[in-house]
Amino acid sequence: EAQVTQNPRYLITVTGKKLTVTCSQNMNHEYMSWYRQDPGLGLRQIYYSMNVEVTDKGDVPEGYKVSRKEKRNFPLILESPSPNQTSLYFCASSFIISSYNEQFFGPGTRLTVL
Amino acid sequence: AQKITQTQPGMFVQEKEAVTLDCTYDTSDQSYGLFWYKQPSSGEMIFLIYQGSYDEQNATEGRYSLNFQKARKSANLVISASQLGDSAMYFCAMREVWGNQFYFGTGTSLTVIP
């Protein structure tokens, strides 16, 4: 089954404790991206990657790191989480074909930073 | 400036009636794609419909149609014959071909009333 998986789905942590949210897709997509969703703000892009070893900042990259060592995986790293990073996080992937690249979303990770 | 603007935080519609969800966008690119996604209360992001900037006809997918007015930079979603299962958040999004970011609006919460 074609899908984007994220782990964990729920995470409660404390300020400053490094964490990684994994993202994996099995559709051979070149493009992968991370978003955070906050009430009233919609989805905002954190980082995206056009292919292996190619990553770029989105609109809200501060406090986050990513890596793309393999085509299928795109982990999101919070080296020192803070309460303002409490949010719902989505990973997404797509092909890069002209302007049409419907993104397939993972199920989301709800992160709470205390 | 906001790339995507959704001015209706919440909408109500009677079951079986049609409803229009507004979306305006801001870009100076000639080539771009516009998307609508649905997010039910369960949280997943579901792709609904796509419109390319060079498409001359409005996109349709079942009960969903996209009212694309390029000169006005609007891409409104029309849902015909609303069903109770249409109650959800709806997000408008855009990708500029020569940029690699996706931009989402703040969303519209639609409630279908029996």
Side-chain angles (χ1 to χ4, degrees):
Chain A
E1 180 191 354
Q3 59 183 349
V4 179
T5 56
Q6 293 179 230
N7 283 292
R9 293 290 311 280
Y10 303 90
L11 179 59
I12 300 174
T13 189
V14 295
T15 298
K17 186 176 181 183
K18 181 179 178 179
L19 67 91
T20 299
V21 184
T22 64
C23 173
S24 183
Q25 51 93 5
N26 62 1
M27 294 168 279
N28 203 33
H29 287 162
E30 300 93 357
Y31 188 97
M32 297 187 74
S33 180
W34 276 102
Y35 298 88
R36 61 177 289 173
Q37 182 180 3
D38 302 290
L41 297 178
L43 279 79
R44 294 178 292 167
Q45 198 168 32
I46 303 170
Y47 269 96
Y48 60 93
S49 169
M50 299 290 286
N51 215 323
V52 176
E53 303 292 1
V54 180
T55 62
D56 278 297
K57 296 177 181 179
D59 287 333
V60 288
E62 294 78 19
Y64 304 94
K65 284 177 58 176
V66 293
S67 68
R68 188 93 181 270
K69 294 184 169 55
E70 303 167 284
K71 196 172 186 178
R72 63 184 293 128
N73 296 324
F74 191 45
L76 179 69
I77 303 157
L78 285 72
E79 298 229 328
S80 184
S82 62
N84 64 12
Q85 292 178 298
T86 292
S87 188
L88 177 60
Y89 291 86
F90 286 101
C91 180
S93 71
S94 70
F95 289 116
I96 301 176
I97 305 173
S98 183
S99 70
Y100 177 72
N101 39 4
E102 169 203 345
Q103 290 189 97
F104 293 82
F105 282 80
T109 294
R110 189 165 291 281
L111 172 66
T112 302
V113 183
L114 302 174
Chain B
Q2 288 278 62
K3 287 282 191 179
I4 297 286
T5 301
Q6 295 180 254
T7 57
Q8 306 155 314
M11 291 277 288
F12 292 88
V13 63
Q14 204 76 36
E15 194 178 4
K16 299 179 185 174
E17 297 292 312
V19 63
T20 298
L21 307 184
D22 294 342
C23 172
T24 58
Y25 58 92
D26 180 28
T27 181
S28 55
D29 282 11
Q30 295 302 308
S31 185
Y32 50 88
L34 296 158
F35 304 80
W36 277 92
Y37 285 84
K38 173 184 178 181
Q39 186 181 43
S41 58
S42 51
E44 71 267 32
M45 295 289 288
I46 302 167
F47 166 73
L48 294 178
I49 196 166
Y50 161 83
Q51 178 85 40
S53 60
Y54 292 117
D55 294 341
E56 294 187 352
Q57 292 200 324
N58 288 340
T60 59
E61 288 287 347
R63 293 186 299 111
Y64 304 108
S65 60
L66 200 153
N67 184 359
F68 181 46
Q69 298 188 44
K70 194 169 182 176
R72 296 181 60 187
K73 293 187 176 177
S74 76
N76 298 339
L77 177 71
V78 180
I79 305 174
S80 63
S82 297
Q83 302 172 355
L84 296 178
D86 293 333
S87 293
M89 280 290 287
Y90 289 82
F91 291 98
C92 179
M94 176 179 69
R95 179 183 180 255
E96 297 161 328
V97 170
W98 296 112
N100 297 308
Q101 286 187 248
F102 275 85
Y103 303 96
F104 281 79
T106 53
T108 295
S109 176
L110 177 67
T111 302
V112 180
I113 304 166

